[in-house]
Amino acid sequence: MTQDASRVAAKRINDHVELIHVDNPDSVLEVPRRDWEAFTAAVKSGVFDLETLNRQAEESVA
């Protein structure tokens, strides 16, 4: 795990999990609980890249 990963807090909210980065608490990634295991497996394997997700979010806002 990278050093950045340790700065992410996960909160379980009813039917989803919210991931909140300490440096940017206004940006929240919501992962449905049914997808949580697949999501964590993808992150651990390197298939899911939070930086790519962040860039895509910025592009969709612009």
Side-chain angles (χ1 to χ4, degrees):
M1 228 181 239
T2 66
Q3 195 173 35
D4 284 346
S6 65
R7 299 191 323 227
V8 175
K11 293 182 183 179
R12 186 174 59 184
I13 310 289
N14 296 328
D15 63 343
H16 67 278
V17 177
E18 293 182 351
L19 297 174
I20 304 166
H21 197 280
V22 174
D23 293 340
N24 194 0
D26 293 332
S27 295
V28 177
L29 175 64
E30 294 183 7
V31 178
R33 286 180 65 187
R34 69 179 182 277
D35 298 332
W36 182 249
E37 287 185 40
F39 171 77
T40 56
V43 171
K44 288 177 184 177
S45 71
V47 173
F48 186 86
D49 181 10
L50 289 175
E51 287 302 317
T52 300
L53 182 66
N54 189 33
R55 283 193 303 275
Q56 289 174 347
E58 288 175 359
E59 289 172 2
S60 69
V61 171

